[in-house]
Amino acid sequence: MLFFTQCFGAVLDLIHLRFQHYKAKRVFSAAGQLVCVVNPTHSLKYAPTRCAAVQASTEQGILPPCHHHEVVHDPQLVPCTCPLFSCPWEGHLEVVVSHLRQTHRINILQGAEIVFLATDMHLPAPTDWIIMHSCLGHQFLLVLRKQEKYEGHPQFFATMMLIGTPTQANNFTYRLELNRNQRRLKWEATPRSILECVDSVISDGDCLVLNTSLAQLFSDNGSLAIGIAITTSKVHSSEAEM
């Protein structure tokens, strides 16, 4: 009985996932876009990350203590860029993608235009939806976060980070678009480099920001579909239009 109960539960989960994927494909198939269903993950980052700690110290005018016997940190090493965990991993920029895929099991989707379908938007904050997007010979990290910027008022923050340097990031433009019930919301901006903290981007509000009521207007049975397009551009602009 226990065996069949577990199997039945797994089958129901699979049916639910396939149904969500089918609905998204039905909506976006006319545009020829690839659809990726992304399940939520509660943030496990209880301790501040190294980049967040350095940023806080810098803002307060306090520099980390330096002693002659300490080992000098290699400036070519970058910390783990996954915003879900306080991961102690450090490595070179070119192996960040391998670390995210192998250690944190973050999926990667290829294509110039894709649809990011975030499920279970009703879950309490903090919650993250993350995927990697391979396009134009580079890899990008899309982060959608539900977070209470003010107590009792959760908001949704969506941003695109290039897994590369700031100079490389300036060569691209990304567009996030929500389209449902004769309503359209678009955010277009230059991606930030993964060498910057995702937390800083969200704190600065330099991303697509949705309050709960606005997110509900574009959601369908608790799922939010975000169209993503990345282009190469030398003209940098940031705008939100509705």
Side-chain angles (χ1 to χ4, degrees):
M1 288 295 295
L2 180 61
F3 172 77
F4 284 107
T5 300
Q6 292 177 341
C7 288
F8 184 68
V11 170
L12 287 180
D13 291 340
L14 180 60
I15 292 175
H16 174 72
L17 184 64
R18 294 289 297 176
F19 178 68
Q20 293 285 351
H21 188 268
Y22 168 76
K23 288 198 304 179
K25 287 186 66 177
R26 183 182 60 186
V27 173
F28 295 99
S29 59
Q33 295 172 308
L34 298 174
V35 178
C36 183
V37 179
V38 184
N39 294 320
T41 304
H42 284 286
S43 179
L44 302 178
K45 189 171 53 179
Y46 300 115
T49 59
R50 185 169 63 86
C51 63
V54 172
Q55 180 188 8
S57 299
T58 305
E59 291 175 352
Q60 298 173 5
I62 303 173
L63 295 178
C66 179
H67 303 289
H68 66 277
H69 61 273
E70 290 184 348
V71 178
V72 177
H73 177 73
D74 187 347
Q76 294 183 343
L77 296 180
V78 296
C80 175
T81 54
C82 183
L84 292 175
F85 307 94
S86 293
C87 179
W89 179 89
E90 288 184 333
H92 292 276
L93 191 59
E94 57 268 19
V95 295
V96 168
V97 173
S98 298
H99 170 74
L100 292 176
R101 296 197 67 183
Q102 297 174 8
T103 303
H104 300 300
R105 305 297 182 185
I106 296 180
N107 294 326
I108 187 168
L109 196 65
Q110 297 184 0
E113 296 187 7
I114 65 174
V115 175
F116 179 95
L117 183 65
T119 66
D120 300 323
M121 302 294 293
H122 62 278
L123 291 178
T127 304
D128 289 316
W129 294 260
I130 302 176
I131 192 174
M132 282 192 292
H133 182 191
S134 179
C135 180
L136 300 174
H138 289 77
Q139 284 73 40
F140 300 82
L141 188 71
L142 178 69
V143 179
L144 173 65
R145 176 175 299 175
K146 184 177 184 180
Q147 178 175 304
E148 288 189 357
K149 200 163 186 179
Y150 306 101
E151 186 175 356
H153 298 280
Q155 294 178 301
F156 293 90
F157 304 85
T159 186
M160 182 75 76
M161 312 284 289
L162 172 72
I163 302 179
T165 65
T167 301
Q168 292 173 322
N170 287 334
N171 295 325
F172 298 95
T173 298
Y174 76 94
R175 184 180 73 247
L176 305 179
E177 184 172 333
L178 291 82
N179 191 349
R180 185 174 182 269
N181 292 336
Q182 298 181 344
R183 298 179 178 88
R184 177 175 294 180
L185 181 65
K186 182 193 299 182
W187 167 267
E188 186 172 298
T190 300
R192 303 281 284 271
S193 168
I194 202 68
L195 298 177
E196 306 177 56
C197 293
V198 175
D199 293 342
S200 300
V201 176
I202 292 177
S203 298
D204 295 341
D206 186 17
C207 55
L208 175 64
V209 182
L210 305 172
N211 57 31
T212 304
S213 60
L214 191 58
Q216 289 176 349
L217 286 177
F218 291 96
S219 64
D220 181 17
N221 290 329
S223 297
L224 186 68
I226 303 177
I228 306 170
I230 301 176
T231 58
T232 56
S233 176
K234 293 295 183 180
V235 179
H236 313 311
S237 62
S238 176
E239 63 178 6
E241 65 182 29
M242 186 171 181

